[in-house]
Amino acid sequence: MSLAITGTHFFFLALLLRQRSLTNQPLGDASRFTAALLIQAASLLSATPFFHPKALLICRSVLFFSAPFFLEPPISIAAPLIFPPTLLFTPICLRFPDGDGIPNASGAKREGSPSQQESSSQGGKRTRSSGPELPEDIWQYIHSLLPLRDAARASCVSRAFQSSWRSHPNLTFEESMMGLEGQAYIDKVDQIMKKHSDSGVKTFEFEYDSYFDTSQLNSWLKIAVTPGIEELDISLSLEDEQEIYNFPCLLLFTGSGGNSIRSLYLSGCTFRPMAGLGCLTRLHLWEVHITGDELGCLLSSSFALEKLSLTDCSEINCLKIPCLLHRLVDLTVSNCRKLEVIENKAPNLCTVSIESDVAHISIGDSLQVKELEMYVEFNLVHHARAKLPASMPNLETLSITSAGEMFSTPSVPDKFHYLKHLDIHLEVLLSEAFSPNYDYFSLAHFLDACPILETFSLEVDQTRMKHDSVLEDPSDLRQIPGHRYDNIKKVGIAGFCSAKSMVELTCHILENATSLECLTLGTILYGYENRLSDHKYGKCPGIGKHMIAEAHKALAAIERYVVGKVPSTVKLNVMKPCSRCHVLK
């Protein structure tokens, strides 16, 4: 089927849809599918090199008028589109594959050849326009760029589109995306997979958090895991330990389907690999039953691996990363409770995140590490200041979470010469309050060690404040003369309290950070970002009465000691207690 469409048709189509959208007037199913396909095709074809230049310009005009209202996410037009006005009235032949899915203006299906239709207007004076006829493989390419749900809708426009829909390469199944739940969702996935062409799958994603017959998942994987598949994402639930899904490793390691896998994400299953995956670049295991030896078998010959992430993998007690993984640059280990040893020999690891209580950690060539995150260790701030400058001198980003500090931050000569971003989270695990013996002001020694630091963030998570309050101690605030921070531009303290040493740290930064642009002080640790939505459905996240009272004290300390020291060039943001939920009683 062939449709002669001018830029004016596209223009008025966009205006019509815009008015219908603003006035909440519904469109018929066929009109909606047709309009959606045209606008989506315009967005895709506007960047397609094989399309006629005249058609490209008209497609871009469609985007200009329709993108702000209908495309998700909206397309941002960086510069105004300039084209001759006469082009809007130049006919272009946009040819669809033969089918009967597009109705005419009256709702009836068009009959007769395209030539007969086009020559019937104006007493036969109108001539048939020429234009590019898109072959089936190009329509398949267009459909492949559409989200799965949109591609399914587009298949309603023409029967011929159904072949493109049935060979869609990106199969993403989520209940929210499908608009279905429970068994209806499973049945729909099963129906789609049984009609798929068994070839050309690039991405297969399946997410479900309830019980179902996992033999169906095995049959879907047999269809999806074929030569050419690049991304495989299976996310299940581990709530019922007796029904843990055993991933069919034979599909990956004995057939040819696994040879092209580049990204593997598994959650809530048992995974027993028997070899490596030569093209694998990203591996993420979440709540997966796998031993350290089995993981080592997989890593031993996955030479292309670049990113490794392990979360809640409770059977791993020893993680050994071989030296042959030259491309591995990113390692994340989180909450692997039995993990005791991490031994890395990969030479180019530069981003490390460890959120587990690991007895022995050997990073290998730590000179390569530029980003480091470490969580939930006692005295971690003290250790980081005393040891890391010498062992990881090239750090650029450092994020540490300490479960308690028995000692204040020391002053040592070694420096972080390249550190630009520092995040410190002080979190109480075994008591209500952070130790009153810890001197917040000693964190100035950490800042002294970072000559090019640009951002500094401090979070204090506690349910009581036991430090001496500045409101109750009238003595002068301490100062450390001779300090200067020339590059710090942004500082934030969440969980700001009236502790005298914290007020001293804040004033010290204001007096010595010559390039400071923004200082943010949050008297409540969490809840600012979502306060409006929290009020819509209820209240802000609950905090104890002690911290509500302390938040009001912190606000008074800011007014009395901090506000007067803020230079005119610095923007001060004070996140106050919620006037509705954090009221003193």
Side-chain angles (χ1 to χ4, degrees):
M1 179 174 57
S2 175
L3 297 180
I5 299 178
T6 68
T8 305
H9 294 148
F10 275 116
F11 175 78
F12 283 107
L13 171 64
L15 292 184
L16 171 64
L17 289 173
R18 175 185 177 185
Q19 182 177 4
R20 292 293 179 91
S21 176
L22 295 176
T23 58
N24 294 320
Q25 298 182 31
L27 290 171
D29 285 346
S31 299
R32 184 171 67 251
F33 291 144
T34 304
L37 177 64
L38 291 176
I39 293 176
Q40 292 277 17
S43 68
L44 299 171
L45 293 175
S46 63
T48 305
F50 49 71
F51 212 47
H52 193 281
K54 190 183 296 184
L56 291 180
L57 216 46
I58 290 181
C59 287
R60 287 168 183 161
S61 72
V62 175
L63 294 183
F64 180 77
F65 291 110
S66 64
F69 303 96
F70 306 103
L71 297 180
E72 297 180 0
I75 292 178
S76 174
I77 305 296
L81 297 176
I82 301 175
F83 51 88
T86 55
L87 186 58
L88 284 175
F89 302 93
T90 303
I92 271 191
C93 183
L94 180 61
R95 298 180 182 177
F96 293 84
D98 291 336
D100 57 359
I102 301 182
N104 61 20
S106 64
K109 296 173 182 176
R110 295 175 181 261
E111 296 184 6
S113 68
S115 299
Q116 291 172 335
Q117 297 166 12
E118 292 164 5
S119 62
S120 62
S121 64
Q122 301 294 330
K125 298 293 183 181
R126 184 175 176 183
T127 59
R128 187 180 189 278
S129 59
S130 63
E133 182 172 358
L134 302 183
E136 183 178 354
D137 59 340
I138 295 179
W139 283 114
Q140 289 182 352
Y141 173 73
I142 293 173
H143 280 134
S144 72
L145 298 177
L146 294 174
L148 186 63
R149 191 171 184 176
D150 292 344
R153 288 176 169 178
S155 69
C156 299
V157 174
S158 170
R159 291 180 192 169
F161 284 169
Q162 294 179 6
S163 62
S164 298
W165 152 242
R166 289 170 180 167
S167 60
H168 197 283
N170 301 315
L171 303 177
T172 301
F173 300 110
E174 299 176 4
E175 287 181 290
S176 58
M177 183 271 292
M178 302 279 288
L180 298 170
E181 296 181 354
Q183 191 59 42
Y185 165 68
I186 296 298
D187 291 343
K188 179 59 67 174
V189 174
D190 191 54
Q191 179 184 2
I192 293 172
M193 292 304 299
K194 286 180 178 178
K195 291 183 178 180
H196 202 270
S197 63
D198 296 359
S199 64
V201 177
K202 296 289 186 183
T203 300
F204 181 81
E205 298 181 13
F206 176 76
E207 179 180 333
Y208 194 55
D209 59 2
S210 300
Y211 172 78
F212 73 108
D213 183 3
T214 54
S215 64
Q216 292 178 286
L217 178 55
N218 288 340
S219 66
W220 305 337
L221 288 174
K222 290 179 181 178
I223 297 172
V225 181
T226 55
I229 187 170
E230 296 179 357
E231 297 186 25
L232 183 59
D233 183 333
I234 305 296
S235 182
L236 306 175
S237 173
L238 272 179
E239 293 181 0
D240 189 346
E241 291 290 334
Q242 295 181 349
E243 299 294 341
I244 296 176
Y245 174 64
N246 287 294
F247 184 87
C249 291
L250 292 177
L251 286 176
L252 290 181
F253 300 105
T254 61
S256 57
N259 294 338
S260 57
I261 290 282
R262 297 177 57 84
S263 176
L264 179 60
Y265 180 103
L266 298 179
S267 174
C269 66
T270 297
F271 184 49
R272 308 297 184 191
M274 55 195 70
L277 297 171
C279 293
L280 188 66
T281 60
R282 298 183 304 276
L283 175 63
H284 189 163
L285 305 180
W286 184 305
E287 291 186 339
V288 170
H289 288 272
I290 182 174
T291 67
D293 290 339
E294 290 166 340
L295 180 59
C297 179
L298 175 63
L299 298 179
S300 63
S301 54
S302 298
F303 304 123
L305 192 65
E306 298 173 2
K307 184 173 182 178
L308 172 62
S309 178
L310 306 172
T311 303
D312 289 315
C313 296
S314 58
E315 292 186 12
I316 300 176
N317 55 22
C318 180
L319 172 60
K320 293 186 177 182
I321 302 174
C323 62
L324 296 177
L325 301 188
H326 292 276
R327 298 185 182 182
L328 184 65
V329 295
D330 192 315
L331 172 64
T332 299
V333 179
S334 177
N335 199 30
C336 296
R337 294 181 294 277
K338 294 184 179 180
L339 186 60
E340 298 178 353
V341 176
I342 296 178
E343 183 179 310
N344 170 62
K345 294 183 179 180
N348 297 310
L349 194 63
C350 62
T351 299
V352 180
S353 177
I354 298 176
E355 187 181 355
S356 294
D357 189 9
V358 182
H360 175 73
I361 301 176
S362 175
I363 300 299
D365 186 3
S366 57
L367 297 178
Q368 299 291 331
V369 179
K370 295 183 178 181
E371 297 183 27
L372 177 65
E373 294 183 40
M374 298 188 70
Y375 298 84
V376 195
E377 287 188 19
F378 287 95
N379 298 316
L380 187 54
V381 176
H382 184 280
H383 170 81
R385 176 63 189 97
K387 304 295 184 182
L388 287 185
S391 61
M392 297 184 180
N394 296 316
L395 279 176
E396 298 178 2
T397 299
L398 176 61
S399 177
I400 51 181
T401 298
S402 175
E405 294 288 319
M406 299 298 295
F407 311 101
S408 296
T409 306
S411 175
V412 295
D414 294 335
K415 295 184 179 296
F416 295 96
H417 291 285
Y418 303 100
L419 193 65
K420 295 182 179 180
H421 309 287
L422 174 61
D423 296 329
I424 297 177
H425 188 166
L426 303 178
E427 180 176 318
V428 176
L429 293 182
L430 301 181
S431 61
E432 296 178 329
F434 215 73
S435 172
N437 296 323
Y438 183 73
D439 185 2
Y440 294 115
F441 193 27
S442 68
L443 287 172
H445 298 312
F446 219 129
L447 302 182
D448 294 341
C450 311
I452 66 170
L453 191 68
E454 297 178 1
T455 65
F456 171 57
S457 173
L458 173 65
E459 294 184 356
V460 180
D461 189 354
Q462 56 185 348
T463 56
R464 285 179 181 265
M465 201 282 287
K466 294 185 177 180
H467 283 73
D468 294 333
S469 173
V470 69
L471 302 177
E472 301 169 359
D473 185 353
S475 60
D476 293 338
L477 300 181
R478 291 174 294 170
Q479 294 180 325
I480 305 177
H483 292 250
R484 185 182 174 101
Y485 312 121
D486 293 328
N487 294 284
I488 296 182
K489 296 179 175 61
K490 184 177 180 181
V491 174
I493 302 179
F496 183 89
C497 61
S498 66
K500 185 176 182 180
S501 62
M502 183 173 288
V503 174
E504 289 171 333
L505 174 65
T506 305
C507 294
H508 175 76
I509 293 173
L510 284 171
E511 293 168 353
N512 296 280
T514 57
S515 299
L516 188 64
E517 298 173 356
C518 180
L519 172 64
T520 301
L521 303 177
T523 57
I524 300 293
L525 183 59
Y526 301 113
Y528 298 109
E529 302 84 356
N530 302 317
R531 183 166 288 179
L532 290 178
S533 61
D534 289 337
H535 287 176
K536 182 178 180 180
Y537 298 103
K539 296 182 179 181
C540 296
I543 60 173
K545 61 181 181 180
H546 297 285
M547 293 312 296
I548 291 177
E550 177 54 38
H552 287 273
K553 288 183 179 180
L555 193 60
I558 293 172
E559 293 289 341
R560 184 181 303 181
Y561 293 98
V562 177
V563 172
K565 295 182 181 294
V566 179
S568 59
T569 57
V570 177
K571 180 181 180 181
L572 175 64
N573 299 316
V574 179
M575 305 303 179
K576 301 179 181 180
C578 177
S579 59
R580 173 178 170 180
C581 306
H582 302 147
V583 180
L584 285 173
K585 297 180 180 179

